[in-house]
Each structure stands twice: as structure tokens, then as C-alpha cells.
Amino acid sequence: MTPDHIRSKKLPWVIDVGIAVVALVMAAAIVLGLGIGNWVLVVVVGIVFYLTGLFAAATRVEGRRSARNRLWKTLIYSACILAILPLASVVWTLVSKGAARLDGDFFGSSMNNIGARDPNGGAYHAIIGTLEQVGLATLMAVPLGVLGAIYLVEYGRGKFALTVRFFVDVMTGIPSIVAGLFILAFWVLIVSPWFNNGTPRFSGFAASLALTVLMLPTIVRSTEEMLRLVPGPLREGAYALGVPQWKTIVKVVLPTALPGIVTGVMLAVARAAGETAPVLLVAGGAAAINFDPFAGNQSSLALYVYQQAGDASRYAPDRAWTAALTLVALVLILTIAAKLLARRNRLS
């Protein structure tokens, strides 16, 4: 027996719709009539009126207990819709404003020799920079993060493990500008002169190091939580068959937790791809194409959006919106590819 199969009085859907319409009309009359807000406030006030009217009508028809259940169910659906609306608004804004420069010139050219009155210019150099910087950061952060999480879950005991976990938690909340300043002070000003005849050098690799610092705590924490969710009997069964601990981790634990680990990695990648401050501090930014991440200034899509949004040219906002749409699409494509790869390789 479920509530839907119990024979009792039900509030007709027509009454439900009517209450919603009356609530919106009353909210619009109050908010717009008094001039105290716009359509957003109309929706919020309308939801309040709707919930009040629905609870009163359902109490009269279905009873107080059923009305309370209907009220909380409506609140859950309303909260879900309110959570989706900002995301839908962001996607619609990006697509509507970013479609203006979705052309071959944008994806095939850079901003080199592009003036304020030139409508051309693209983000090819920024796309290359983002792919190289995030790719190098991922290659460095993922093995370190996964191995660190394996140590904390499978081997770590005592004060040292607690200290590592504490500093990982602290690193999770550090601002990106701090990571950029750390790499600037350590790598750019101290280490890079050894390889450049005593002269500090900006590079895309320096930006990758800063992004690695930002990605590492996210990967460690998410992987640690996923490994803790792996059932203990899976490990015990492997140990009972005489399988060594390292092979149990590689063959049983990691494949079981792989989908969750991939999700955490992609969250870290998305954060790294959208960072501007570290790239600005240690990569310098460049208008020309630079395929070498170890030498010379390099740009990224996030830095490109920042620069174009503050440019005085009337053609710059279109470039900024298209670059933002490209960045979101790039992260989405990488996430889908990673999810499909994890689904193919996870332990069935």
C-alpha cells in the first residue's frame, strides 16, 4: 500500500492550478502595483501565497495530515525548481550572448596585432593555453591526490595522518591568488632563473603548478571519501583469497570507487580551468599563440575573458561571452568523456 493507492478524497488538479493562478495574480497586483520589485519578487511572493492557499484547500478537502504531506512535497519541488532556475539562466545567457562570435575566425586566430577598432580576433591562443595548463596540472595533481587519499584511507594511522588531513583541509580553502603568489615567489623568482641565464621567466608551466596546488586538496578529499564508501567485505574477501593489500587496492578498491573519483577530479579540473589570478601572476598572459608551456608568456580562456571584459573596444564583450561559452563547453566535454571512460572501466 502506498499513499497513491489509498482511497480517500483528493484535491482536484484544477483547484491546484487555480490556486497557483490566483496566487500569481495577487502577487503581481501587490508587488507591481506598489512598485516594490520586479518579476522575481512576484514569483517569490506568489509561491508564498500559493503554499498558503494550497495548505488551506488541502486541509479542507483531504485532511490536515494529507495537507501537510502535500505542502512539504510542494516545497521540495519548489526548492528543486529554484535551484535549477539560476543554472538555466546562466546557460541561456551564455548561449544567447556567446553565439555572436561562434565562427572560424574566433577559434582559428589570436589577438595578436588586433586593435580596438578591429572586429576580428579570436581565442585560439587562449584555448591552447587552457588545454596545456590544465592538462599538465591534471597530470601532476591526480596521481598525487589519489595516492595521498589511498595513504589516508588504507595505510595512514596516528598523528602523521591526522596532520596530513588537517593541512589538506586547510589548503581546500586557500584563495587562488595565494597559490599564484606562492608559485611566483618560489618557481618564477627562484627556480626559473636557473634555467634562463639568471632571468626569471613566466610560463604556462608555472601556471600549471599553481593550478596543481588548487586542485590537489579537492582531489584528495573527494577521493578519500569515495574510498571510505567502498564496502569492507570487498577488501576482506580479497584478503581471504590471499591477495596482497596493494593489489586489492588496485584491482578492487579503486575500480569500485572510480566513478566518484572521476567526479571529484572533474570538479577540480573545472575549478582550475576557471581560475584567472594564478595565470595572470605567473603566466603573464599573451596575445600571440604560444605552444610551448615551458617558455614565454601564455594566456588562458579565463584570463582572456577577464581581459576582454575590461577592454574598451565595442567588439570585446562579444569575444568575452563567446570565450566564456567555450570554457563551459570545454569543461562539459571533458566531464562527459571522463564519465564515459569511468563507466567502461569500473568494476561490475
Side-chain angles (χ1 to χ4, degrees):
M1 296 292 290
T2 62
D4 295 333
H5 293 94
I6 298 176
R7 295 183 179 181
S8 61
K9 292 183 179 181
K10 295 290 184 181
L11 188 69
W13 66 269
V14 177
I15 303 298
D16 200 337
V17 174
I19 294 173
V21 172
V22 171
L24 286 176
V25 170
M26 291 176 58
I30 294 174
V31 174
L32 301 180
L34 298 177
I36 58 176
N38 54 13
W39 64 270
V40 177
L41 186 59
V42 170
V43 173
V44 174
V45 175
I47 291 176
V48 175
F49 287 165
Y50 169 71
L51 293 175
T52 304
L54 179 66
F55 182 74
T59 300
R60 185 175 183 86
V61 175
E62 300 177 353
R64 188 174 184 84
R65 182 176 181 179
S66 181
R68 193 182 299 113
N69 177 69
R70 181 185 286 270
L71 176 64
W72 283 105
K73 185 178 180 180
T74 306
L75 281 173
I76 293 173
Y77 281 113
S78 301
C80 179
I81 294 173
L82 289 176
I84 293 174
L85 281 178
L87 176 62
S89 177
V90 170
V91 173
W92 171 252
T93 303
L94 283 175
V95 173
S96 60
K97 294 188 176 183
R101 282 300 313 276
L102 284 176
D103 50 44
D105 181 69
F106 182 83
F107 294 102
S109 63
S110 67
M111 291 299 295
N112 198 26
N113 298 324
I114 298 297
R117 297 184 179 181
D118 195 340
N120 297 321
Y124 181 65
H125 64 298
I127 296 173
I128 295 298
T130 295
L131 291 176
E132 291 183 351
Q133 293 164 20
V134 175
L136 288 173
T138 303
L139 288 177
M140 291 183 286
V142 171
L144 291 175
V146 173
L147 290 175
I150 291 174
Y151 167 76
L152 291 176
V153 175
E154 304 292 340
Y155 298 99
R157 300 292 185 272
K159 293 183 178 180
F160 181 73
L162 293 176
T163 303
V164 172
R165 189 175 290 109
F166 171 76
F167 280 105
V168 168
D169 292 337
V170 171
M171 288 178 60
T172 304
I174 64 171
S176 60
I177 190 71
V178 175
L181 287 172
F182 168 70
I183 298 301
L184 176 65
F186 171 69
W187 181 265
V188 176
L189 299 181
I190 297 178
V191 179
S192 67
W194 296 354
F195 308 98
N196 194 36
N197 298 322
T199 303
R201 171 183 287 179
F202 290 154
S203 64
F205 180 72
S208 299
L209 292 176
L211 298 180
T212 301
V213 174
L214 296 173
M215 293 174 63
L216 195 57
T218 302
I219 295 175
V220 172
R221 291 300 293 159
S222 60
T223 304
E224 181 184 1
E225 294 302 323
M226 290 303 104
L227 294 178
R228 291 187 185 281
L229 291 177
V230 176
L234 288 178
R235 297 181 177 88
E236 296 169 0
Y239 297 153
L241 294 174
V243 180
Q245 185 176 9
W246 70 268
K247 188 172 289 188
T248 300
I249 296 171
V250 173
K251 296 293 186 178
V252 177
V253 177
L254 287 179
T256 305
L258 187 60
I261 295 175
V262 170
T263 300
V265 170
M266 294 315 301
L267 287 175
V269 168
R271 182 190 177 185
E275 291 293 347
T276 304
V279 182
L280 181 62
L281 281 174
V282 299
I289 300 172
N290 180 15
F291 288 98
D292 187 0
F294 299 97
N297 291 17
Q298 199 174 51
S299 185
S300 69
L301 280 172
L303 181 58
Y304 181 84
V305 171
Y306 170 76
Q307 292 172 338
Q308 292 299 310
D311 199 302
S313 173
R314 67 188 182 94
Y315 303 106
D318 289 340
R319 299 191 195 108
W321 281 112
T322 305
L325 177 60
T326 304
L327 180 59
V328 173
L330 184 63
V331 173
L332 178 62
I333 292 172
L334 292 176
T335 302
I336 294 174
K339 286 289 187 181
L340 293 177
L341 183 63
R343 182 177 297 178
R344 280 180 65 90
N345 292 280
R346 70 181 178 182
L347 185 66
S348 60

